[in-house]
Amino acid sequence: MKAASLARTLAALLAGIVCLAGCVSTGPAPVGAGGDGAQPAASMPGGGTAYVPAQPYDITPLLHPKHKYFGATFDGVPKDLGPVRSYAAKVGRTPTMLEYYLGWGDELQTDQTRAVWKNGQLPYIAWEPHKVTLAQIADGGQDEYIVRTARTLRALNVPVAISLAHEMNGAWYPWGTKKATAAQFVKAWRHVHDVFQDEGVSTVIWVWSPNVINPVPQVALKPYYPGDGYVDWVGVVGYYARTGAQDFPALFGPTFRQIRTFTRRPFLLAETGAQPTPRKSAQITELVKTVAAGGDIVGFIWFDLDKETDWRVDSSTETLAAFRRAARNPRYDLDFSALK
């Protein structure tokens, strides 16, 4: 074990000893503690009061539940959860996963993350290192921020999914193939994961999230894979555009097959959507049905934004009707309370 890792582990153990000595509950849990018997500890970055969890949330039942995640992302979340309610009314089903983005160096908003979970959605955080390089993360230069974020999540004690540096196999992000190597990505991913582990964080579902290989067939995915010990889900990003792959097997099949040569971790469609074309209704129907039937796919996240093009499910009355019909599938009747 490296010296820095050993130091963090010892610090976490000492913190636990101090907590045992001075954080003993003297009454019922305060309102907002999540009902876990936790007691107030300190003010946290992003607002609100931190709590020391008496019992860490067990994410194991969330990793591959019997039913599927019905996810989405919208403008304004997680600060405003109004779009979630509007979407639920529009499509006839309440999302059970909500994706939003955290810029590297920004503080995780504890009140907002807790509110997402209490609203009935698993928080899915796409952590984007725009301000630093993967090499700087891997070499420990960002440890103060990583440790602070880890401790915030440990105190928050609600399950979250985290995708670090998504679509790393493409060239369109600063952490992509033009400015970082596969080895740097793997080293950075493992370092962040190890820091979280050293800090005693057990409530994170780690989502390794490549783009579909269709636009970058020359970039092999295996060199970017951190290993099964560092990944819980494979979060594939893929969109139906006006040109290119027009059905599920063509869009996702080549990527799924390549990934299955080196891991059996479950798939999540971490971001998906379809441009407005005469094929969009059929693409929606096929995607939602295929995910529901797929034994190794845990769910999908629909990118419900009008950004560059109108990816939203209601880009036409026909596409909304198709989505509403597909969303009735009982395979998406995920009940978090039944998983505990």
Side-chain angles (χ1 to χ4, degrees), residues 40-51:
S43 296
M44 297 299 296
T49 305
Y51 298 87

Side-chain angles (χ1 to χ4, degrees), residues 105 203 217 283:
T203 54
Q283 289 165 342

Side-chain angles (χ1 to χ4, degrees), residues 66-69 93 292-295 328-334:
K66 179 180 178 181
H67 293 89
K68 308 290 183 173
Y69 289 95
R93 180 178 289 278
R328 296 185 191 129
N329 193 316
R331 293 287 285 146
Y332 292 99
D333 293 345
L334 179 60

Side-chain angles (χ1 to χ4, degrees), residues 14-339:
L14 288 172
I17 293 170
V18 170
C19 182
L20 287 173
C23 299
V24 177
S25 174
T26 57
V31 175
D36 59 2
Q39 296 300 301
S43 296
M44 297 299 296
T49 305
Y51 298 87
V52 177
Q55 181 70 36
Y57 190 100
D58 181 11
I59 63 170
T60 305
L62 302 178
L63 294 177
H64 205 162
K66 179 180 178 181
H67 293 89
K68 308 290 183 173
Y69 289 95
F70 185 82
T73 186
F74 318 96
D75 276 328
V77 296
K79 184 177 181 179
D80 178 14
L81 296 181
V84 179
R85 294 184 287 274
S86 299
Y87 185 79
K90 182 167 57 179
V91 305
R93 180 178 289 278
T94 300
T96 49
M97 184 181 292
L98 181 66
E99 180 179 13
Y100 49 98
Y101 301 85
L102 180 66
W104 191 268
D106 295 340
E107 303 298 342
L108 188 141
Q109 304 298 302
T110 57
D111 284 357
Q112 294 172 13
T113 303
R114 184 185 295 112
V116 170
W117 177 243
K118 288 188 173 182
N119 197 54
Q121 291 81 48
L122 174 70
Y124 182 104
I125 301 170
W127 204 359
E128 301 182 315
H130 283 286
K131 299 178 181 179
V132 297
T133 66
L134 294 180
Q136 289 171 324
I137 295 172
D139 291 342
Q142 296 294 304
D143 279 8
E144 181 179 350
Y145 171 61
I146 300 169
V147 167
R148 189 165 68 248
T149 305
R151 291 177 179 176
T152 298
L153 283 169
R154 186 183 65 195
L156 181 59
N157 197 34
V158 301
V160 300
I162 291 181
S163 166
L164 174 64
H166 56 96
E167 300 168 60
M168 76 301 290
N169 59 317
W172 44 88
Y173 284 121
W175 54 83
T177 55
K178 285 187 177 180
K179 295 187 177 181
T181 66
Q184 288 171 333
F185 173 84
V186 168
K187 187 176 179 182
W189 180 285
R190 289 176 176 174
H191 182 74
V192 172
H193 182 282
D194 288 346
V195 171
F196 272 56
Q197 190 171 54
D198 290 346
E199 291 297 326
V201 181
S202 60
T203 54
V204 172
I205 298 171
W206 294 94
V207 188
W208 179 70
S209 185
N211 195 80
V212 290
I213 64 173
N214 300 13
V216 283
Q218 74 282 5
V219 181
L221 293 176
K222 186 176 181 179
Y224 285 90
Y225 190 62
D228 282 358
Y230 292 86
V231 172
D232 297 302
W233 291 339
V234 174
V236 178
V237 175
Y239 291 84
Y240 296 98
R242 293 186 183 276
T243 59
Q246 296 302 317
D247 59 25
F248 193 98
L251 181 59
F252 293 103
T255 306
F256 282 11
R257 287 192 294 272
Q258 186 177 140
I259 289 170
R260 280 293 174 254
T261 65
F262 56 85
T263 182
R264 301 300 301 179
R265 285 289 188 253
F267 291 117
L268 169 75
L269 305 190
E271 280 186 24
T272 192
Q275 284 189 286
T277 70
R279 298 178 293 270
K280 185 169 181 174
S281 294
Q283 289 165 342
I284 286 172
T285 301
E286 182 190 36
L287 183 142
V288 178
K289 182 179 180 180
T290 302
V291 172
D296 60 349
I297 307 176
V298 298
F300 71 90
I301 299 174
W302 192 271
F303 191 80
D304 204 63
L305 280 79
D306 186 355
K307 181 182 179 182
E308 291 127 9
T309 189
D310 194 350
W311 303 108
R312 296 173 300 177
V313 297
D314 62 341
S315 58
S316 73
T317 55
E318 293 79 14
T319 58
L320 177 58
F323 197 85
R324 285 183 63 89
R325 287 193 298 270
R328 296 185 191 129
N329 193 316
R331 293 287 285 146
Y332 292 99
D333 293 345
L334 179 60
D335 180 1
F336 290 125
S337 64
L339 298 178

